[in-house]
Amino acid sequence: VIDAVINLTTDTVEGVADAAYTVLVNITGDDSTVKYLCKQDFIESLLQYASLSTAKYADKACMILCNLTRFAEGCDVSIEVLESENGRKLFQQLLLAFCQSDYNKYATYHHFAAFLANITQAEIARRWILCKEDMTILKCLPYVQYYDSIVRRRGMIAVIKNCCFESDYNEWLLGEEVDILPHLLLPLAGPEELKQEEIDDLPLDLQYLGDDKVREPEADLRIMLIESLMQLCATKSCRIYIKEKMAYAILRELHQWEKNDDVIVACEKLVQILIGDEPETGMENLRTVAVPDSYRAIDMSDTTVNNS
């Protein structure tokens, strides 16, 4: 039956093909179906179809890819496909489609962000995003504040959080080439007035925000932004840089404003890192330190995001 539905996606009768894609979107939420569909040829066909600028159901193809990659097997097979020469071309073409609003008049490609969030659970996919030659990370950052689509915004914030697990790239992420810090702090900032000396130390984009500044409205996204900052604080040099850029002032005001208990807890963990004394020599990397139970408030998360 599933094979018959897949065949109907190429039916020349428009309503039939549309219905077939809709069925596949719905059934790929089921574990048993996913196992059957996690085949290289099927996933490659979805990527190939979604990359076409004339694909009427590109968004549904991206939804199916998102559903499949919620599972480890789907991620593994997708990465195998994308590692091939043709797969790398498809990846770049889909990034173009994702970033270029007029690429396909039938599609928004918002769910491609969720697909990226899922596959960047794997180190190799994170390193594709962090490639210094392609600078793909720069294409992701503007969507941290893309309020026209929660799917796109959530997906990109998840991608960025996942990429922050790559310690070798953290100094580069905070440096001039990428300058990730303002992108993470700005959605957490509100309209509160800060002391002049605090304003002077903030990144330029966070100075004098105005009375109409609003914070990221979704609590889970505020948590992911905070956790991204926490990952960047894992090493001493990055931690000192974030302290010097007065991230604490933004988090202090967020903590006073925040009503969600989970966000408050995440915020407090990060604040402890920023205002606490620096660890002893040999313990500067917080990811490699064994943290006693009594100090779990500064424990670094060890799992990446599954943007289901």
Side-chain angles (χ1 to χ4, degrees):
V1 175
I2 294 175
D3 290 336
V5 173
I6 293 173
N7 290 334
L8 288 174
T9 60
T10 59
D11 197 283
T12 54
V13 178
E14 186 171 319
V16 173
D18 186 17
Y21 272 106
T22 299
V23 169
L24 289 172
V25 170
N26 292 334
I27 66 175
T28 47
D30 180 76
D31 292 21
S32 58
T33 305
V34 166
K35 290 180 181 179
Y36 181 79
L37 289 174
C38 283
K39 300 174 182 176
Q40 285 196 10
D41 56 348
F42 179 61
I43 288 178
E44 185 168 7
S45 70
L46 288 171
L47 292 165
Q48 185 75 55
Y49 177 73
S51 71
L52 300 175
S53 62
T54 56
K56 289 187 176 182
Y57 313 113
D59 280 344
K60 290 184 178 180
C62 289
M63 290 178 193
I64 296 166
L65 288 165
C66 173
N67 285 345
L68 292 175
T69 52
R70 288 186 300 114
F71 302 87
E73 187 175 356
C75 275
D76 292 343
V77 175
S78 295
I79 288 170
E80 286 178 18
V81 171
L82 292 171
E83 281 186 293
S84 68
E85 183 178 351
N86 184 54
R88 301 301 296 138
K89 292 178 181 177
L90 289 175
F91 185 71
Q92 293 301 324
Q93 193 65 28
L94 282 164
L95 282 173
L96 175 64
F98 179 75
C99 297
Q100 188 174 310
S101 60
D102 60 350
Y103 179 84
N104 181 344
K105 67 180 182 180
Y106 302 107
T108 64
Y109 291 94
H110 294 328
H111 282 83
F112 184 67
F115 170 73
L116 287 179
N118 290 340
I119 65 170
T120 51
Q121 294 175 96
E123 179 183 351
I124 187 171
R126 294 196 291 271
R127 291 182 179 266
W128 293 341
I129 301 296
L130 293 169
C131 176
K132 295 180 181 181
E133 294 180 2
D134 297 337
M135 297 296 284
T136 301
I137 188 68
L138 292 183
K139 299 174 183 177
C140 299
L141 294 177
Y143 299 112
V144 170
Q145 295 189 89
Y146 188 84
Y147 294 106
D148 289 343
S149 169
I150 181 63
V151 173
R152 180 176 287 240
R153 191 166 82 255
R154 177 175 283 116
M156 283 297 98
I157 291 175
V159 168
I160 291 165
K161 179 193 169 181
N162 288 345
C163 288
C164 287
F165 278 80
E166 296 298 320
S167 301
D168 294 347
Y169 289 84
N170 284 359
E171 287 192 24
W172 175 70
L173 287 172
L174 289 167
E176 291 183 1
E177 278 191 276
V178 180
D179 196 22
I180 197 173
L181 187 59
H183 294 277
L184 298 176
L185 288 176
L186 196 54
L188 300 175
E192 298 85 4
E193 289 188 21
L194 304 177
K195 297 177 183 178
Q196 187 59 50
E197 56 268 29
E198 293 176 332
I199 294 174
D200 292 342
D201 287 338
L202 283 169
L204 187 61
D205 290 346
L206 280 96
Q207 297 179 8
Y208 308 107
L209 294 177
D211 296 337
D212 59 347
K213 175 65 176 70
V214 295
R215 291 183 169 89
E216 165 56 55
E218 301 295 329
D220 67 311
L221 301 192
R222 296 197 296 277
I223 290 174
M224 280 199 280
L225 290 164
I226 292 168
E227 289 175 343
S228 300
L229 290 164
M230 192 176 297
Q231 293 305 319
L232 292 173
C233 283
T235 57
K236 182 176 181 180
S237 59
C238 294
R239 192 162 56 244
I240 290 174
Y241 177 82
I242 292 171
K243 289 180 180 181
E244 290 174 346
K245 290 298 181 179
M246 201 49 66
Y248 166 71
I250 300 297
L251 293 163
R252 180 193 65 213
E253 299 303 320
L254 170 65
H255 186 269
Q256 292 179 3
W257 169 88
E258 187 61 63
K259 298 295 188 292
N260 183 281
D261 290 341
D262 292 333
V263 181
I264 290 171
V265 170
C267 189
E268 288 174 350
K269 289 180 181 180
L270 180 53
V271 166
Q272 283 195 350
I273 293 172
L274 293 177
I275 67 175
D277 295 334
E278 276 297 306
E280 300 174 11
T281 303
M283 302 179 68
E284 295 97 336
N285 190 327
L286 300 184
R287 288 206 187 96
T288 62
V289 175
V291 183
D293 289 340
S294 58
Y295 292 94
R296 286 298 174 186
I298 60 169
D299 189 22
M300 305 301 290
S301 174
D302 61 356
T303 57
T304 49
V305 174
N306 183 340
N307 193 73
S308 52

